[in-house]
Amino acid sequence: MMDKLNDKKSKLFLNLLLIAVFAAILILLDTKTIGDAYVRRILNLSAIYAIVSVSMNLVNGFTGLFSLGQAGFMAIGAYTVAIFTVPLEARAKIFYIIPQNPVLAQIELPFVIALILGGLLAALVAVLIGMPVLRLKSDYLAIATLGFSEIIRIVFTNIKSITNGALGIKNIPIMPTMWVFFGVAIISIGLMWLLINSSYGRAFKAIREDEVAAEAMGINLFKHKVMSFSIGAFFAGIGGGLLATLFATVDPNQFYFPVTYNFLLIIVLGGMGSISGTIIASFVVTIGLEILRFFDEPLALFGVNIPLFRPGLRMVVFSILLMVLVLFFRNGLLGQKELSWKLVFDWLSGKKPIKKTDEGGAA
Amino acid sequence: MSILKINNVTMQFGGVTAVNNLNIEVQEGKIEALIGPNGAGKTTAFNVITGVYSPTKGNVYYKDENITGITPDKITKKGIARTFQNIRLFKNLTVFDNILIANHLRINSNFVSSTLRMPWSNKEERLMREKSEMLLDKLDLLRLKNEIAHSLPYGEQRKLEIARALATDADLLLLDEPAAGMNPSETMELSSFIHNIRDEFKLTIFMIEHHMDLVMEISEKIYVLDFGQLIAEGTANEVKNDQRVIEAYLGVEEDA
């Protein structure tokens, strides 16, 4: 067993196999050989959720900043893509009550450029918001960022010449292939992985572990917090941009603050401080929320209508799951660990991982 | 030559004067200690030196540069590193990560080139790792490299915290009760450890300590603080025989 695990070649083989299987499934789905539009849409959504969740984990799980502004940053990215990629000739029809701002009405950008621009704008806003807000700690920071996300939504509802207000923007060009979503997800998460495993990532973790000690070790807290916060916002903006092209439409209510709770559930389930856990949880939660949809539909057992099953029950179940999770599985799937073959084999062979001693046990 | 000069420093919290008109000059290359009963203002003095607090009055000079009111991270960059009374390691990270983090303050690559693994960033990272391994090796901690910090025995955690402070390339090391919670044999070991690192890394060490044996043995100069006031300074023998010190502190200690 052990010699097998330690064999680098077999690990490499398993990795390649995994990538091949993943690519094969994606190719089959993408060429419409298997699955239907619904399945593809859910998987694309999962990929987007993975980007946003990892970005949220970068801020919350790796840097230890309790930030709940993800929906706001997504909105910025989504609207940037919406405003700049809708074909010029379709604009007048969309902005039929209040005409679009004359400058914006003449600009059409390719999708990739609009996507990156959306990320950059989200990051810029994060820097501006972060400067005052990141001086706050824990719950205060959470409240401030939650408030920010609501402000963004309300501003977007009201700057009608730019965002078309509550009507939203329709006819956003959709992407013909799943590779756009999965490709951007792989690149984004890859970049965040590289960041987290760089010296800067270690500095983020130091801040998470102990701010006072981190500062005493020469880490400029403010600079690194703003950095993490705005990089997280950048990728949330990218995720938002992808969401716009997936749904082909954006409106302010898509970015109502409870959206952020989905990501919170994902990172808690996957493990605060685990990228692979977050990716797995993104798929589990996104697909799970779809499966839970039957709770929202009327259910009749033996001809008797169960009165509980009505629209909204899904969210009740969702909340209960969140509570159970926090009560009994605080470390989530992977805690701060990353998925590895050793972990998988240990789990499969029923071997318990070495249990960490409780905090402060040594004192 | 004095490396650290505390000049007429007063620190008040509301109506409470924690440190009153303190004057201390720590000489380069020496091991000096700050002692005093509980609540005398020792840790407050440390916090003023390291920039956690900005003093109400007075100035702090490091290598003749006024560092009063500068933030802790900038002070560490200038070459003052500290440990904490209650160990403050990055508990859930490995020993090696703890040391690497203390190297981050001298990084030249920005986060973009670090993330994209540009050649110069890779080189910097490699040098950082080599330097950290060497440091761990010198301090006999290399065998614990991949251990999680909070799983170490207490004495090793203290040692790691000192190692981490050294990794910032400090010239002046401030140790806040390094022997707290240690048994006599661990304390003796610590005493030679402190001596060794002073000689090996050409450090100046300024420490707060309660263990009189340790203080009397290794400090070349002792400052005694009581109710925020400096009541005596001098060598171990001078301080030991000072009537005010005996009254304020040592007399009580010997009874215990």
Side-chain angles (χ1 to χ4, degrees):
Chain A
M1 191 71 197
M2 278 308 287
D3 45 330
K4 238 186 194 171
L5 289 181
N6 289 333
D7 192 354
K8 269 194 177 169
K9 267 186 193 165
S10 66
K11 266 188 200 167
L12 183 68
F13 172 74
L14 284 168
N15 283 336
L16 289 175
L17 186 73
L18 193 72
I19 292 168
V21 169
F22 172 76
I25 293 175
L26 209 53
I27 287 167
L28 288 175
L29 281 166
D30 198 47
T31 53
K32 303 187 172 61
T33 318
I34 55 169
D36 51 22
Y38 178 65
V39 171
R40 278 190 286 279
R41 192 184 171 93
I42 300 302
L43 289 175
N44 285 339
L45 189 63
S46 304
I48 295 171
Y49 269 37
I51 299 174
V52 180
S53 304
V54 174
S55 82
M56 191 169 172
N57 213 339
L58 171 70
V59 180
N60 288 259
F62 287 97
T63 320
L65 304 169
F66 191 12
S67 156
L68 295 175
Q70 240 53 15
F73 296 124
M74 283 178 81
I76 295 170
Y79 269 95
T80 309
V81 166
I83 291 163
F84 290 110
T85 63
V86 172
L88 292 180
E89 57 275 17
R91 305 245 177 127
K93 248 185 176 172
I94 297 167
F95 288 82
Y96 65 91
I97 296 180
I98 290 170
Q100 192 180 16
N101 177 303
V103 180
L104 292 176
Q106 288 163 29
I107 307 173
E108 187 185 340
L109 296 174
F111 173 70
V112 177
I113 299 199
L115 188 67
I116 293 169
L117 183 66
L120 290 175
L121 285 174
L124 179 71
V125 172
V127 171
L128 297 177
I129 297 291
M131 301 233 254
V133 158
L134 288 172
R135 296 182 195 282
L136 301 170
K137 286 194 176 127
S138 61
D139 352 15
Y140 300 103
L141 177 62
I143 294 164
T145 47
L146 203 63
F148 148 76
S149 144
E150 271 301 273
I151 290 169
I152 290 285
R153 190 179 66 85
I154 290 161
V155 166
F156 281 9
T157 314
N158 288 291
I159 43 171
K160 294 183 176 130
S161 69
I162 298 173
T163 61
N164 208 23
L167 294 170
I169 298 175
K170 291 187 284 284
N171 293 337
I172 302 163
I174 52 172
M175 291 295 125
T177 158
M178 290 177 79
W179 288 105
V180 171
F181 301 97
F182 279 82
V184 174
I186 289 165
I187 293 169
S188 303
I189 294 169
L191 285 173
M192 284 187 271
W193 186 89
L194 286 169
L195 172 69
I196 285 163
N197 288 293
S198 74
S199 188
Y200 286 89
R202 283 195 299 264
F204 293 164
K205 289 182 209 165
I207 294 172
R208 173 191 72 194
E209 293 291 314
D210 191 328
E211 274 194 16
V212 175
E215 198 176 26
M217 289 303 112
I219 293 169
N220 184 332
L221 293 183
F222 186 61
K223 179 182 145 195
H224 285 83
K225 283 182 181 179
V226 171
M227 191 188 284
S228 164
F229 189 63
S230 50
I231 293 169
F234 175 83
F235 287 108
I238 297 280
L242 289 175
L243 202 68
T245 180
L246 179 69
F247 290 158
T249 160
V250 291
D251 76 77
N253 283 330
Q254 281 173 335
F255 305 101
Y256 205 43
F257 69 84
V259 172
T260 303
Y261 297 150
N262 290 336
F263 305 117
L264 191 62
L265 172 70
I266 289 169
I267 62 174
V268 172
L269 178 66
M272 296 278 251
S274 169
I275 297 177
S276 42
T278 305
I279 298 169
I280 296 168
S282 302
F283 282 81
V284 170
V285 170
T286 314
I287 295 167
L289 275 178
E290 289 305 314
I291 294 170
L292 286 181
R293 265 186 206 286
F294 75 87
F295 283 113
D296 277 0
E297 279 148 27
L299 180 81
L301 272 183
F302 311 112
V304 183
N305 258 320
I306 312 280
L308 212 56
F309 282 69
R310 65 179 71 170
L313 180 63
R314 182 169 73 120
M315 291 323 285
V316 176
V317 176
F318 177 84
S319 309
I320 292 170
L321 281 179
L322 190 57
M323 277 190 269
V324 170
L325 196 66
V326 170
L327 281 172
F328 300 106
F329 306 100
R330 290 193 65 178
N331 287 329
L333 272 176
L334 291 169
Q336 287 182 4
K337 291 193 286 287
E338 292 298 341
L339 191 65
S340 65
W341 288 112
K342 187 172 164 8
L343 218 60
V344 174
F345 283 125
D346 284 356
W347 184 72
L348 285 177
S349 62
K351 204 163 90 186
K352 284 251 158 111
I354 304 151
K355 233 184 144 111
K356 281 200 291 185
T357 51
D358 280 328
E359 277 183 37
Chain B
M1 192 205 136
S2 75
I3 189 167
L4 179 75
K5 200 166 142 194
I6 301 171
N7 208 350
N8 295 326
V9 163
T10 297
M11 183 76 225
Q12 286 171 321
F13 299 100
V16 181
T17 305
V19 170
N20 194 4
N21 203 22
L22 185 66
N23 283 291
I24 286 177
E25 273 193 42
V26 178
Q27 301 300 314
E28 193 163 354
K30 302 273 191 224
I31 299 177
E32 306 196 357
L34 182 62
I35 65 171
N38 280 331
K42 305 181 298 288
T43 298
T44 305
F46 260 36
N47 283 339
V48 168
I49 300 169
T50 54
V52 177
Y53 303 139
S54 193
T56 319
K57 261 186 273 173
N59 287 303
V60 180
Y61 297 88
Y62 173 69
K63 292 183 176 169
D64 294 327
E65 186 189 350
N66 191 346
I67 57 165
T68 323
I70 299 181
T71 53
D73 57 298
K74 293 209 181 74
I75 287 179
T76 309
K77 272 186 197 130
K78 289 188 187 297
I80 304 180
R82 73 175 294 184
T83 65
F84 294 88
Q85 196 172 340
N86 40 350
I87 306 177
R88 278 179 176 269
L89 287 169
F90 305 122
K91 277 195 282 187
N92 297 310
L93 304 181
T94 63
V95 168
F96 198 43
D97 275 347
N98 267 274
I99 300 295
L100 286 172
I101 286 164
N103 280 282
H104 182 70
L105 79 169
R106 312 263 176 235
I107 198 167
N108 287 317
S109 311
N110 60 28
F111 76 92
V112 178
S113 62
S114 255
T115 299
L116 298 178
R117 302 288 190 269
M118 300 317 265
W120 60 90
S121 300
N122 280 341
K123 191 182 166 205
E124 200 177 18
E125 173 82 14
R126 202 172 57 243
L127 290 174
M128 207 186 258
R129 284 172 182 273
E130 281 167 10
K131 185 178 152 243
S132 302
E133 282 196 350
M134 261 164 58
L135 177 71
L136 284 174
D137 195 26
K138 273 185 189 164
L139 303 180
D140 190 31
L141 287 168
L142 195 58
R143 67 208 146 79
L144 302 170
K145 184 180 161 191
N146 295 317
E147 299 289 324
I148 301 292
H150 78 69
S151 71
L152 300 186
Y154 188 73
E156 308 272 24
Q157 291 196 24
R158 283 268 175 216
K159 225 165 134 184
L160 175 59
E161 209 192 12
I162 295 174
R164 189 181 64 176
L166 285 177
T168 63
D169 293 330
D171 290 326
L172 171 63
L173 200 56
L174 304 180
L175 305 177
D176 196 346
E177 295 196 30
M182 284 188 172
N183 61 34
S185 81
E186 281 175 326
T187 308
M188 291 323 291
E189 209 185 301
L190 181 76
S191 155
S192 61
F193 179 74
I194 292 174
H195 251 292
N196 290 344
I197 57 168
R198 192 265 309 256
D199 297 340
E200 175 136 24
F201 298 92
K202 300 191 173 47
L203 298 171
T204 306
I205 292 174
F206 188 41
M207 63 175 189
I208 295 175
E209 192 40 75
H210 272 307
H211 280 238
M212 280 308 130
D213 309 344
L214 180 69
V215 172
M216 295 296 167
E217 189 187 314
I218 66 172
S219 337
E220 286 146 312
K221 188 167 185 188
I222 297 170
Y223 297 88
V224 189
L225 211 56
D226 191 26
F227 292 110
Q229 212 92 6
L230 197 63
I231 57 170
E233 59 182 283
T235 62
N237 275 327
E238 286 166 10
V239 168
K240 230 191 284 187
N241 298 321
D242 189 296
Q243 196 52 41
R244 291 178 70 189
V245 176
I246 296 168
E247 277 168 22
Y249 190 71
L250 288 178
V252 181
E253 181 75 11
E254 274 167 10
D255 283 347

